[in-house]
Amino acid sequence: MSRALEAYLVQVGSGLKGLSRRRRLTVIRELEAHLLDEAEARGIESESGMAAMLSEKEHPSLLAEELAAGEGQDANHRGGTALAAGMIIGLATGGHMWFEGWRWYIALAFAAAQGLAVGAGYFWVRRHWLRLDPWARTLVAVLITALLSIPLGFTTHHGFKPTRLLYGAFTGFLLERHSQERPLWQTLLEPVVFTALMFILEAGVLGRIQFQWWKVPLELSFNATILLSVMLATRFKRLLAERRVLTPQEQQG
């Protein structure tokens, strides 16, 4: 964690003496995630940049008073934003399945599982690993979203399908990697590589399906839909963070 941010949070925490220890830790964690979201939205990576951003904020003692007075508002905002961003992903993937001809209830179940469990679930728990380096964060995101995507395994006509969990893991990978700017060539390559991986696993390793060339565009278009929905959801969440955090600071200046 940035030393400037750590010092700022310690000062804020010392002003939250009226709260229980557990609640104080929760509020500080929410504040930390909120400030890291803002720094990410601004593209701040250096220690000096973080210190400059924090200098625009209220004095820690004043901020502590505000947080103690309305401690649940920030958590509610983040939870609502996570739900909305997650459902963007769910509606996109479920809609794509329905367009392909899947039964409406399968498409709806996939949309709910992908949007609520994977998408919103990722945004809800992401603050717990923000202190890690980028590759460690990506690994944790993949593992967590693979677990969160267990309900996706049941969105089939024939019982549980474990390879469905790979769609959740792929979504988590994209969500974490696209929290930062990516080169265009990497973005274009991601659904192609994942499509090849799915066919290798399903047809080559497990023998579940017979490889046919006409299926490649369908699978590729679905994975591209996941990518586009992730990019849209990430941008949507970042815009909400900017409106909540950056705009008031601009008005104050």
Side-chain angles (χ1 to χ4, degrees):
M1 187 201 302
S2 161
R3 291 190 300 274
L5 178 57
E6 185 175 7
Y8 187 83
L9 293 174
V10 168
Q11 294 179 64
V12 174
S14 65
L16 296 174
K17 295 179 179 178
L19 304 181
S20 67
R21 181 178 181 277
R22 180 176 179 181
R23 187 57 193 164
R24 186 165 61 250
L25 290 174
T26 300
V27 171
I28 290 298
R29 181 176 291 171
E30 289 290 343
L31 175 62
E32 177 188 356
H34 200 67
L35 291 171
L36 287 172
D37 277 350
E38 180 180 352
E40 188 175 79
R42 292 189 180 190
I44 295 173
E45 298 181 356
S46 66
E47 184 70 25
S48 60
M50 178 65 76
M53 186 190 82
L54 293 174
S55 69
E56 303 172 10
K57 304 301 178 186
E58 298 89 343
H59 189 276
S61 61
L62 296 177
L63 180 58
E65 293 180 7
E66 296 176 8
L67 290 173
E71 60 182 58
Q73 293 181 3
D74 190 64
N76 290 338
H77 169 74
R78 290 178 61 82
T81 301
L83 181 62
M87 286 314 299
I88 290 175
I89 300 172
L91 289 173
T93 53
H96 192 286
M97 291 183 69
W98 181 78
F99 183 77
E100 282 188 5
W102 287 77
R103 294 185 182 273
W104 67 269
Y105 53 86
I106 294 291
L108 182 61
F110 193 99
Q114 182 81 337
L116 292 174
V118 179
Y122 163 87
F123 287 119
W124 277 328
V125 302
R126 183 175 183 250
R127 65 180 182 272
H128 296 291
W129 64 76
L130 284 176
R131 298 183 182 184
L132 302 176
D133 64 76
W135 281 108
R137 283 161 50 178
T138 301
L139 177 60
V140 172
V142 169
L143 293 175
I144 293 296
T145 50
L147 291 175
L148 291 173
S149 62
I150 289 175
L152 283 177
F154 295 97
T155 58
T156 66
H157 295 291
H158 308 290
F160 183 77
K161 187 175 182 181
T163 51
R164 278 275 202 267
L165 275 61
L166 293 178
Y167 290 110
F170 180 55
T171 303
F173 170 84
L174 293 175
L175 283 166
E176 193 60 50
R177 298 299 289 167
H178 284 274
S179 64
Q180 302 289 336
E181 293 297 325
R182 304 292 308 285
L184 179 60
W185 70 269
Q186 291 185 14
T187 300
L188 295 176
L189 196 60
E190 286 162 346
V192 175
V193 172
F194 184 69
T195 299
L197 174 65
M198 289 297 293
F199 274 110
I200 291 172
L201 184 61
E202 291 275 14
V205 178
L206 299 177
R208 291 178 180 273
I209 62 173
Q210 180 181 1
F211 178 78
Q212 296 174 311
W213 283 107
W214 64 268
K215 293 181 179 179
V216 174
L218 291 177
E219 180 69 19
L220 181 60
S221 66
F222 182 74
N223 295 328
T225 297
I226 296 178
L227 170 63
L228 292 174
S229 67
V230 162
M231 295 174 67
L232 180 60
T234 302
R235 181 57 181 165
F236 173 75
K237 188 174 183 298
R238 188 173 299 168
L239 284 173
L240 290 185
E242 291 172 356
R243 287 176 62 87
R244 184 172 175 82
V245 180
L246 301 182
T247 302
Q249 295 302 321
E250 294 169 356
Q251 291 174 348
Q252 290 173 10

